[in-house]
Amino acid sequence: MGEVIADRRRRGAVFALGCLLLTAGVWLHLAMFLPELAAGRRLMAMAFDGAMRAGMALIAVGTLLAAGSLWQPAGTAAVDVRVVPPLRLTARHWTLIAVLVAVLVIDTMKPATLGFVVPGMVAEYGLPRATIAWLPFAALTGTAVGSLLWGWFADHQGRRAAILLSTLLFVGTSVCGAMPTLGWNIAMCFVMGASAGGLLPVAYALLTELLPIRRRGFFLVLVGGLGSAGGFFAASGLASVLEPIFGWRMLWLIGLPTGLFVLACSFRLPESPYHLIAQGRTAAARASLARYGGALTVEAAAPDRGRRDGGFGRHALPILVATGLIWGLVNFGFLLWLPAMLAASGLAVGASGQLLASAAFVAFLTILPATILYERIGGARAVMAAMALTLAGLLLVAVAGWVAGGALLVLVGVNAAIAMLLPFAAESSTAAMRGRATGLVAGASKAGGIAAQAAALSGFVPDPRGAALTLAVPLILLLAVMLHARFTLHAAGPAANRLSE
């Protein structure tokens, strides 16, 4: 026991040292930026000085030290123990929910700042918007890669460890605001996306394993919705306050204090009891569950098959991956082209902006109805309803040619769908595969967006009806597959419709 405590203290000290070195590296960049800002000079095309090189080295060394301190050798899984989930919410659950909402708000805020930094980048670098568009493309690609990597890391090294390390990388990528060339901005933006890409699926995996089953779906959707919406509002608020004074670069450099705040919050997160059991740490798993009102029983564990009530049975993961791909195409494709489509349909630029702003507000209001719908009718039916609403909007554009009305339905549908898709993926997966499965679905949603962004970079902007019809076809096929899976599961009888956890 004494050796275990000593090892944890040693690992904690190494992690703290890594955090200090990385923070010092970011601060060296910030210390270089502030005098240049005060003198009214731009960083464009500045040479890397010794302080910046030292800062990059400190960030790299700090990251490696922190990663090494979190890495755990594979343990021997405990057998004949079964997790008894909590029956009701406790004060610790509310603390966990509040911490994860704060984490997701700041995590979502950083990618959301991309839209606010582009005008400043265009002005400073003197490049066309088509060239600057490589920035969101790199960020989106990074989030797709990060979703897969962090999902794997969470299953092998633990949910808490994945959140801590990805948050630390999040802090390190704030130096993107001090990079003197567009190429370095794009490279750091990719790393930023990779660090942020794993927080959402890993947070869902952790919540799934600690919340009471009866309220799990409700709070999973609510936490994700509040985190996403809060991140956008935080980004827009900081942009309105900081950008006029400090310029566009500060919107990334602000990642240092906000990232450290997330890191401080993340230390309050528990480790997944399922991961502790897989590592043979039964006593730690029992103590973790006891703090949240759960328990471990010494008996043969039932097979962990994930969610079965209202699901898609054994076809759940491929169906959800396909849903993510199509969602990404619609969200990052159709909605990316939407302003140009509205202008082509004869709507004035100012009017189209007001319409999109109103539609975005309506989409925000869908979070609570989507949360209630998910809890009342189950994840599968709720996701199907959201995708059907999206299809109705696309058909309204493709058949009737009503771009404005169809766009509103599409916005509401895709926002409701993404609020429910990852929680349902987490609930549908086994504990051993939960991180990877949720990360795979999250990565698929970004992959669809990467394809749409690549088309936009090539200058491809389709007409509204053609785009809507092209996207409606795979969505119709997806809904048909979903209905078939639901019918097959229903025909299998009551034994296939249960929660095994």
Side-chain angles (χ1 to χ4, degrees), residues 89-109:
L89 288 171
T90 65
R92 287 186 179 271
H93 282 112
W94 288 110
T95 301
L96 174 66
I97 289 168
V99 167
L100 286 177
V101 167
V103 167
L104 294 180
V105 164
I106 296 177
D107 171 62
T108 307
M109 180 189 74

Side-chain angles (χ1 to χ4, degrees), residues 123-149:
E124 179 167 338
Y125 288 117
L127 296 172
R129 283 181 175 266
T131 302
I132 302 295
W134 283 101
L135 198 74
F137 179 78
L140 195 59
T141 305
T143 58
V145 173
S147 296
L148 300 176
L149 291 179

Side-chain angles (χ1 to χ4, degrees), residues 69-335:
S69 71
L70 293 172
W71 193 267
Q72 295 275 359
T76 302
V79 295
D80 295 336
V81 292
R82 185 170 68 88
V83 172
V84 179
L87 295 178
R88 61 181 180 273
L89 288 171
T90 65
R92 287 186 179 271
H93 282 112
W94 288 110
T95 301
L96 174 66
I97 289 168
V99 167
L100 286 177
V101 167
V103 167
L104 294 180
V105 164
I106 296 177
D107 171 62
T108 307
M109 180 189 74
K110 199 163 188 179
T113 58
L114 289 171
F116 299 101
V117 303
V118 167
M121 295 185 72
V122 170
E124 179 167 338
Y125 288 117
L127 296 172
R129 283 181 175 266
T131 302
I132 302 295
W134 283 101
L135 198 74
F137 179 78
L140 195 59
T141 305
T143 58
V145 173
S147 296
L148 300 176
L149 291 179
W150 291 117
W152 175 87
F153 190 92
D155 282 340
H156 286 83
Q157 298 298 319
R159 321 304 191 213
R160 182 175 181 269
I163 292 174
L164 285 172
L165 189 55
S166 62
T167 302
L168 193 61
L169 282 174
F170 178 95
V171 175
T173 58
S174 59
V175 300
C176 185
M179 293 296 103
T181 65
L182 179 62
W184 274 104
N185 286 136
I186 291 173
M188 294 304 299
C189 208
F190 172 83
V191 181
M192 177 199 75
S195 66
L199 277 179
L200 192 60
V202 175
Y204 282 137
L206 182 60
L207 274 174
T208 299
E209 293 162 355
L210 288 171
L211 288 174
I213 290 176
R214 291 185 179 180
R215 305 308 308 275
R216 188 165 65 185
F218 179 89
F219 283 102
L220 283 173
V221 178
L222 186 64
V223 166
L226 290 176
S228 299
F232 176 79
F233 286 124
S236 58
L238 286 173
S240 64
V241 173
L242 296 178
E243 195 167 10
I245 303 172
F246 300 103
W248 62 272
R249 293 180 180 273
M250 186 55 73
L251 294 181
W252 276 327
L253 292 169
I254 196 67
L256 175 61
T258 56
L260 291 176
F261 172 76
V262 171
L263 193 63
C265 291
S266 299
F267 277 108
R268 297 184 61 85
L269 296 176
E271 185 51 89
S272 161
Y274 291 92
H275 174 72
L276 294 173
I277 292 171
Q279 291 290 313
R281 297 167 59 187
T282 308
R286 181 176 288 108
S288 178
L289 279 167
R291 286 194 289 270
Y292 288 87
L296 281 183
T297 59
V298 182
E299 59 182 85
D304 176 11
R305 299 186 178 90
R307 187 182 179 105
R308 283 295 180 272
D309 62 329
F312 295 115
R314 59 190 177 90
H315 304 292
L317 185 56
I319 287 176
L320 293 179
V321 169
T323 305
L325 282 169
I326 294 173
W327 180 90
L329 284 169
V330 176
N331 185 67
F332 296 104
F334 183 82
L335 297 182

Side-chain angles (χ1 to χ4, degrees), residues 349-379:
V349 175
S352 65
Q354 292 176 0
L355 175 65
L356 289 175
S358 301
F361 180 70
V362 171
F364 168 70
L365 295 179
T366 63
I367 293 174
L368 185 58
T371 301
I372 297 172
L373 185 70
Y374 186 98
E375 185 180 42
R376 293 289 177 84
I377 68 174

